[in-house]
Amino acid sequence: MDNLSKAETEIVAALAWFTDVELVNLLTDKAQTGVKVDLVLAKNSHNEEVDFSALEAAGGSVTWITTKGYGLMHNKFCVVDEQVAITGSYNWTVNAKRNNGENILVTADPVVVKQYRDQFFALKSGVPIEEAEIYGDAGPVGDSIPKHKMDAPTGDYAEFEKEWNHFLNSRVVPFERNLMKSYGAEIAESTQGNAEVIPQQLDSIYQQLLSDTEINHEDIEVLKRSLEQKISFHEAKNSTANRNAIHVAEMKLIARKRVLENQITSLENERDKTQQEILGISDTQIPILEKKRLHSREEIDDLSREAVKRPSKKRVWPEVALLIGLTFYLVLFYSSVMYNILYGKADARLAGERGGEVVMEVFNANAIWMALDRGLFVLSFILIFTAIPLAVGYLLHRITGWTRWIYGVGALLLDLLLAYIITKAIYEVRYEETPGLEPWDKLMVLSSGDFYLVLTMGFVSFLIWGGLLDHIYKQLDTVSKSESYEVNEEKKSQLLAKVAEYNSEIETMEEKKLLLSRQNIDTSGKITALQNDLAHTDYEMAKEKLLIDSDYEDRKHKLQNLKETILLHLNRERIPVSMTSLKDRVSTFLSGWDDWLYDYYASTLATERSHAAHNRAKEWLQNKRDEIFA
């Protein structure tokens, strides 16, 4: 019920018994919502008691199937929305719902669903039961009566048998169906549904059919002439069909060859493309990476050759502190020297005139402040002068060769001159204030302590200053070399990382090349297999032609056998009974038999005995058919 309730577009069902009013109401409700409801029902007394008028009024369709020929319309299946098929032993009856042990199969397999839906419309269109019910019954043995086709011939053989039966049916006197059905019910009642009496009863029905068949000599002659015409027609038809079948097979072969050739071409193109990719990796990508790797390794070698032992860093702060102190000393000393040269004698005389001590010292600690008192220009001149000995001290230690000696001699001469001038000025001040001193003589300088003091405090000091500055430069150069070493090591580390990256890329390319090579091997194998299939198609075509010709000869042989069988009976002026008429009478007899069984016995037992009766009837009919066409 869940699947029926979920239906959205269509419900089609073929049912032998449908008496469950609850399901009828459900289908009526679905029809009222716009769902297409289409039923094919067996026309029997049970189904006819149910009122389907409300369903039909809501737009539903009910088609009744009257039993014709051998067998019952015993289907029990439903297809919902062309997507789900429901089948099994379950009859849509109250008895099945409440009392019986049943099974139901629900499937969404599209092939099975389509087969059941096609069967439904075959039943609805009136295809005979033995032809429409190609699936047999879906339920288990014991709850159903299996259906079997009675060796139905195919093609032209079937057409002749159909014509033969049609002719015989026209010669058979109609029988009373209700009497035959009642007869079946009476026999079932008298034997309690014992299937063992079926063959005997069917023999009686067969004998009655023989007596009801009318025939005369003129009809036999007409049938013979018609038989010859039909034989010629169908032989020509068979021949044409044979040629067409061979032509179709040839067309299929050509199409298959084209498909195989296209597949081979496609795979060959794929293989060529892959091979080009392999060549691109081998001839271009990997060589480029190897060249980059080699270049990086060469750079590493160059850096390694240029590299020296890593210098140890030294601290230069003490030397810098000494340099600053010595610089301050030299600035004070040479400021004092220049000030004394310019204003020392004048300041000493001025101090004497003011009643102070007349004295002039080698080093005047207040020289800078006294120069500032005389003006900013005087101070600037004195300070700029102090740069001369500093520059000479710097150059003496930075230049080499004869130039260095020239600078050294010049510096010494400059300092001798300054020492001489200062010594002379100091002596002259003393001479003016000290009676009895001899006048100044140039040679006095050699015995003057002031001369040697100035020379020592000046020349020696700036020589030391220059040496200290040169030492600091060398220390700083050592620090610079250490930094250069670190830079080189960083470059080498980066280059080594690049080499590792190139190695990884080359390895990846090699793996990709190997993978592509294996892919090409597989592709070549597929091409070989397809080429073998292509070469085998001619053999397949020859085999197919042989099968078509064999089938043609088989159908031709069957047609001739049927013709000879019919002529044999006609020449004897003896026509066998129509199998269609015989099956119709047997089916009507069994219908009455089944009605009594289902009225008298419970459903399970009735089905079991009905199954046995129909099996015996099937065996009897097969034997009778073999006997008629022997």
Side-chain angles (χ1 to χ4, degrees), residues 439-464:
W440 171 256
D441 186 272
K442 295 180 179 178
L443 295 177
M444 290 182 178
V445 71
L446 298 176
S447 60
S448 173
D450 292 334
F451 174 79
Y452 292 108
L453 180 62
V454 172
L455 184 64
T456 303
M457 293 178 67
F459 184 72
V460 174
S461 296
F462 72 69
L463 285 179
I464 294 173

Side-chain angles (χ1 to χ4, degrees), residues 16-19 42-50 64 181 591 594-596 598-599:
W17 289 279
F18 187 10
T19 61
K43 191 173 181 64
N44 55 52
S45 58
H46 301 288
N47 291 341
E48 289 175 346
E49 292 176 358
V50 181
W64 297 93
K181 190 173 181 180
S591 177
D594 288 340
D595 284 346
W596 183 87
Y598 282 96
D599 287 339

Side-chain angles (χ1 to χ4, degrees), residues 362-550:
V362 173
F363 178 73
N364 185 355
N366 296 316
I368 293 178
W369 303 111
M370 295 172 70
L372 181 61
D373 290 339
R374 291 182 177 276
L376 186 62
F377 176 79
V378 174
L379 176 63
S380 299
F381 177 79
I382 290 174
L383 291 177
I384 290 173
F385 175 77
T386 61
I388 294 174
L390 293 177
V392 172
Y394 169 76
L395 293 174
L396 282 175
H397 292 85
R398 300 305 293 175
I399 60 179
T400 59
W402 291 104
T403 308
R404 182 175 185 178
W405 289 104
I406 293 173
Y407 272 98
V409 171
L412 178 60
L413 291 176
L414 175 62
D415 216 48
L416 287 172
L417 176 63
L418 293 175
Y420 176 81
I421 294 173
I422 290 297
T423 301
K424 179 182 177 183
I426 292 173
Y427 186 84
E428 289 177 347
V429 170
R430 291 176 181 172
Y431 178 78
E432 291 177 0
E433 293 296 327
T434 305
L437 287 177
E438 296 180 7
W440 171 256
D441 186 272
K442 295 180 179 178
L443 295 177
M444 290 182 178
V445 71
L446 298 176
S447 60
S448 173
D450 292 334
F451 174 79
Y452 292 108
L453 180 62
V454 172
L455 184 64
T456 303
M457 293 178 67
F459 184 72
V460 174
S461 296
F462 72 69
L463 285 179
I464 294 173
W465 182 90
L468 185 60
L469 180 64
D470 184 64
H471 174 73
I472 291 173
Y473 275 150
K474 289 180 179 180
Q475 289 293 94
L476 293 176
D477 185 55
T478 300
V479 173
S480 176
K481 287 182 179 180
S482 177
E483 292 175 352
S484 176
Y485 176 85
E486 295 292 343
V487 170
N488 283 355
E489 289 298 313
E490 179 65 24
K491 286 182 179 179
K492 286 172 65 177
S493 177
Q494 293 175 355
L495 290 171
L496 286 172
K498 281 187 177 181
V499 170
E501 181 180 348
Y502 294 145
N503 287 336
S504 177
E505 290 183 15
I506 291 172
E507 184 178 351
T508 301
M509 289 296 175
E510 292 289 353
E511 291 176 355
K512 183 178 181 181
K513 186 173 72 171
L514 179 60
L515 181 63
L516 292 174
S517 298
R518 290 175 178 173
Q519 182 179 328
N520 256 8
I521 292 173
D522 293 340
T523 303
S524 297
K526 293 178 181 178
I527 291 173
T528 301
L530 290 173
Q531 288 172 339
N532 291 336
D533 288 346
L534 184 62
H536 194 63
T537 51
D538 291 333
Y539 168 77
E540 291 180 350
M541 184 59 206
K543 184 179 178 181
E544 184 69 16
K545 284 183 178 179
L546 183 62
L547 291 174
I548 293 172
D549 289 338
S550 176

Side-chain angles (χ1 to χ4, degrees), residues 207-267:
Q207 292 300 321
Q208 182 61 42
L209 178 61
L210 288 177
S211 64
D212 289 341
T213 302
E214 297 178 355
I215 193 65
N216 58 54
H217 182 73
E218 292 180 357
D219 290 333
I220 291 175
E221 292 301 323
V222 169
L223 187 57
K224 283 183 178 181
R225 289 194 296 272
S226 175
L227 181 64
E228 291 296 339
Q229 292 173 357
K230 291 292 184 180
I231 288 291
S232 299
F233 170 77
H234 284 290
E235 284 180 344
K237 182 180 177 182
N238 274 341
S239 178
T240 301
N242 186 63
R243 290 195 300 272
N244 289 340
I246 291 176
H247 177 70
V248 169
E250 289 175 343
M251 291 300 100
K252 287 182 179 179
L253 175 65
I254 292 173
R256 175 169 169 74
K257 280 186 173 181
R258 288 178 180 172
V259 169
L260 290 173
E261 289 169 352
N262 289 338
Q263 289 177 338
I264 291 172
T265 301
S266 176
L267 289 173

Side-chain angles (χ1 to χ4, degrees), residues 284-299:
T284 303
Q285 297 181 28
I286 290 180
I288 289 175
L289 290 172
E290 289 177 339
K291 186 176 180 180
K292 289 181 178 179
R293 181 178 64 183
L294 178 61
H295 180 69
S296 296
R297 285 175 174 171
E298 290 175 349
E299 289 188 52

